[in-house]
Amino acid sequence: MGNLCEKSADDEDLRKFYPSFFYYVENLEKYEPGGLHPTHLGEVYDNGRYKIVHKLGFGHLSTVWLAHDLQCKRYVALKIVAAKDSQDYKDFKDLKESDHPGRNYIASSLDCFWLQGPNGYHLCLVSHVLGPSISRMLLDSRLQPSIARSIALQATQGLAYLHSQGICHGNFTTSNVLFQLSINFDSLSEEEVYALLGKPQTETVKRLSGEPPGPSAPIYVVDMPDFANIDPSKLLRQNIRIIDFDQSFYTTTPPTIMLGIPSNHMAPESIFDLKAGVHSDIWALGCAIFRLRAGYDLFDDFGDSGINSHSDTIRQVVKTIGRLPAAWSHIPFDEDGLPVRNGKKPKKESRMLEYEPIERPLLDSVSSIEDEPMGSPTLDSITEQNNGESKAILVPAEVGGRYRNGCSELFWRPPSLVGTTFTLEEGKWVATEQEAEVLSKISHEEAISFHDLLSRIFTYDPMRRISAKELSRHPWFTGDFMVTRKRKEEGKELDRIE
């Protein structure tokens, strides 16, 4: 999600291309001089070394491709940076090897080279192949609680390592936290890779003018692999890598403009005062940790545009952690959701936000986290119960699926994503929601521990925010709260015996 201060290329009067039907595809308007490089399957780069095999992803400033390193006989991830951003792109190749536990969770480059294309000179970064992002996998699944805590600790340690090197990530979200792969891609043929990930799906690029898309744009765009039908236990490790340093900066030279991080991960001081640093990284980390455990974002309040504006985010922050400090409480926002700073007259109409702080909202948000169904029936057992009878039938929302009964070693799927329950009432089938009656809540002991962790992060005063190093020692990560719960259960059992 880009800087809201900039005029978007998506504005209708600037649009050059018909939008793609693919859900996960880069902004086609960025295919212009100075922008993204038009890439096609089968193309070979760096003097015939890297052959494009599949699409892995894209970012604000780049596209990422699965490539076959024909020289070293291995698969790599090839990141092609937009031309205008290549010269100053930060990949921090000088990160030191270290025994710091977080070093293992930072993605690093294997190689780099420059590519000349119709849109300019592009920096190309070569790295190890990684799996899908946490954000992608959480679209239709939830992490098992212990896995969520483990990954959250890895992410915290990784950020602590960056901070120890004087580096701020600047765009820390679950979209930039990727799973490591458990499978050795290097031993696979291209046909076997396609059998695993699916063959690349393409869609022709069309200009609104009816003219051919080239030379600045590709002939077609490529959809990302669909991991929905791949068992993650067979493909993904429980370890992660943090990626995407295109908005990173050294702590000694913080940016003076608004960060490009999504609004619902942006710290209040970054929104109101354009201040960024270690403390704003910690705020973003807290947002990511909550999503890891809950499966959704803490500060989401989508407006008419379908994305959070800064005013939407601040409204949700106030509801969650309380009233704004006096220095910010009287700052109005313009129609684009941007704060009107330093008493400047806004270019557009501005208004004061109506804040509605409520009692114990952060604890309530934590306590409402839903966990894996307890003893919920599988698809097969429900079908057997209904043979010859007009009882509840579970209708799958999608055919197949990576784990049919809703759980795996890494993930579980909420019932609302597995199917819909229909019951026969007065001769008609009536759809009923099953989620509320089968999902359990986070345990009281974990909720208290998790709330304590988040309370150390979500404070308005950046200087009071806990550091990543200190945060990594919190007992929530290791599940120490379970000891208290076990003792309580043992005490209840003893009472029953007596």
Side-chain angles (χ1 to χ4, degrees):
M1 199 175 299
N3 188 341
L4 293 178
C5 292
E6 300 175 355
K7 189 172 181 61
S8 172
D10 288 332
D11 287 353
E12 190 172 351
D13 58 338
L14 299 178
R15 192 171 297 163
K16 303 184 293 292
F17 300 96
Y18 284 102
S20 171
F21 286 103
F22 291 147
Y23 187 80
Y24 283 103
V25 72
E26 62 273 18
N27 184 351
L28 299 182
E29 305 302 326
K30 293 182 179 294
Y31 285 108
E32 60 184 0
L36 299 176
H37 176 69
T39 305
H40 299 92
L41 299 166
E43 291 181 337
V44 182
Y45 298 127
D46 196 23
N47 298 318
R49 179 172 180 177
Y50 299 108
K51 178 184 177 182
I52 302 298
V53 176
H54 211 316
K55 175 84 159 289
L56 289 179
F58 61 92
H60 185 60
L61 306 176
S62 62
T63 55
V64 185
W65 302 85
L66 177 65
H68 198 180
D69 183 346
L70 302 176
Q71 178 177 313
C72 294
K73 308 298 182 185
R74 63 183 177 183
Y75 288 95
V76 296
L78 178 59
K79 183 173 188 176
I80 306 178
V81 182
K84 64 182 177 62
D85 300 295
S86 289
Q87 196 64 46
D88 297 324
Y89 189 86
K90 308 177 187 70
D91 66 331
F92 294 108
K93 294 187 292 293
D94 58 344
L95 282 174
K96 301 175 182 177
E97 291 302 325
S98 167
D99 58 359
H100 191 292
R103 180 65 182 88
N104 295 326
Y105 306 126
I106 305 298
S108 56
S109 298
L110 299 170
D111 187 19
C112 68
F113 61 93
W114 286 84
L115 166 67
Q116 182 177 6
N119 294 331
Y121 285 92
H122 303 263
L123 174 65
C124 301
L125 301 172
V126 181
S127 61
H128 294 288
V129 179
L130 297 171
S133 69
I134 300 289
S135 179
R136 170 65 186 89
M137 297 303 289
L138 290 181
L139 285 178
D140 57 1
S141 306
R142 302 276 181 84
L143 286 165
Q144 298 282 6
S146 61
I147 302 298
R149 292 192 294 271
S150 173
I151 290 176
L153 176 58
Q154 294 174 47
T156 302
Q157 291 175 331
L159 202 61
Y161 169 74
L162 288 178
H163 291 174
S164 74
Q165 300 298 304
I167 296 171
C168 291
H169 189 280
N171 189 19
F172 195 91
T173 71
T174 52
S175 294
N176 291 327
V177 179
L178 272 56
F179 284 99
Q180 294 186 51
L181 294 171
S182 59
I183 191 169
N184 181 13
F185 261 63
D186 297 339
S187 64
L188 303 180
S189 66
E190 290 183 16
E191 290 73 20
E192 290 172 323
V193 169
Y194 292 150
L196 179 66
L197 300 180
K199 290 187 176 181
Q201 301 298 308
T202 63
E203 179 188 13
T204 302
V205 173
K206 296 180 180 179
R207 287 185 180 270
L208 295 175
S209 64
E211 299 174 350
S216 291
I219 299 172
Y220 56 80
V221 288
V222 184
D223 197 11
M224 291 169 56
D226 183 7
F227 290 90
N229 291 320
I230 304 174
D231 186 343
S233 299
K234 297 179 180 178
L235 181 67
L236 308 180
R237 296 177 60 189
Q238 297 180 16
N239 293 337
I240 55 96
R241 287 283 190 275
I242 298 170
I243 65 164
D244 201 352
F245 297 96
D246 57 12
Q247 297 192 59
S248 298
F249 54 91
Y250 288 103
T251 55
T252 54
T253 56
T256 57
I257 61 174
M258 187 169 285
L259 295 174
I261 188 172
S263 178
N264 58 10
H265 282 59
M266 191 178 293
E269 68 271 16
S270 297
I271 293 177
F272 286 109
D273 301 330
L274 298 181
K275 291 183 178 179
V278 170
H279 308 297
S280 58
D281 256 6
I282 294 298
W283 182 281
L285 172 65
C287 296
I289 290 176
F290 185 89
R291 190 176 191 200
L292 284 168
R293 184 61 183 89
Y296 51 86
D297 290 315
L298 179 60
F299 299 127
D300 261 349
D301 184 18
F302 297 129
D304 294 337
S305 65
I307 60 174
N308 273 19
S309 70
H310 297 307
S311 59
D312 294 330
T313 294
I314 291 299
R315 185 181 291 107
Q316 287 301 108
V317 169
V318 170
K319 287 182 178 181
T320 305
I321 68 173
R323 296 186 181 279
L324 289 171
W328 295 337
S329 61
H330 301 296
I331 295 179
F333 285 78
D334 65 21
E335 290 179 345
D336 293 329
L338 295 168
V340 182
R341 304 182 187 89
N342 303 323
K344 294 182 179 179
K345 185 177 181 180
K347 296 180 180 179
K348 299 183 179 180
E349 182 180 349
S350 63
R351 61 186 174 85
M352 298 297 297
L353 295 185
E354 296 180 2
Y355 300 116
E356 300 176 3
I358 56 178
E359 187 179 359
R360 295 198 326 160
L362 181 57
L363 181 57
D364 291 342
S365 296
V366 170
S367 299
S368 65
I369 294 174
E370 294 170 326
D371 270 346
E372 187 175 357
M374 301 299 291
S376 59
T378 66
L379 295 178
D380 290 336
S381 65
I382 292 178
T383 301
E384 291 170 0
Q385 292 172 12
N386 289 276
N387 285 339
E389 298 184 29
S390 298
K391 294 184 179 179
I393 299 177
L394 190 65
V395 180
E398 59 186 21
V399 178
R402 72 172 78 88
Y403 26 96
R404 192 158 178 255
N405 292 336
C407 61
S408 76
E409 182 181 352
L410 298 178
F411 299 92
W412 64 276
R413 297 182 65 187
S416 60
L417 298 176
V418 174
T420 303
T421 299
F422 287 81
T423 55
L424 189 64
E425 296 181 5
E426 299 180 358
K428 296 182 180 180
W429 288 104
V430 179
T432 58
E433 290 295 330
Q434 191 178 9
E435 183 173 359
E437 60 182 347
V438 298
L439 290 182
S440 60
K441 298 289 186 181
I442 186 173
S443 72
H444 174 73
E445 291 77 18
E446 182 179 3
I448 295 300
S449 181
F450 194 33
H451 175 260
D452 180 74
L453 178 146
L454 295 176
S455 296
R456 298 169 188 265
I457 296 174
F458 295 126
T459 66
Y460 287 119
D461 184 353
M463 302 308 296
R464 293 182 55 198
R465 243 166 257 161
I466 192 171
S467 69
K469 181 179 179 180
E470 294 171 323
L471 189 66
S472 65
R473 303 190 187 108
H474 197 279
W476 177 77
F477 292 113
T478 57
D480 285 355
F481 55 84
M482 295 297 293
V483 175
T484 302
R485 183 178 185 181
K486 184 176 181 181
R487 287 173 178 171
K488 288 183 178 180
E489 291 175 349
E490 290 175 346
K492 291 180 181 178
E493 183 64 27
L494 184 61
D495 291 341
R496 284 196 293 267
I497 295 175
E498 293 177 345

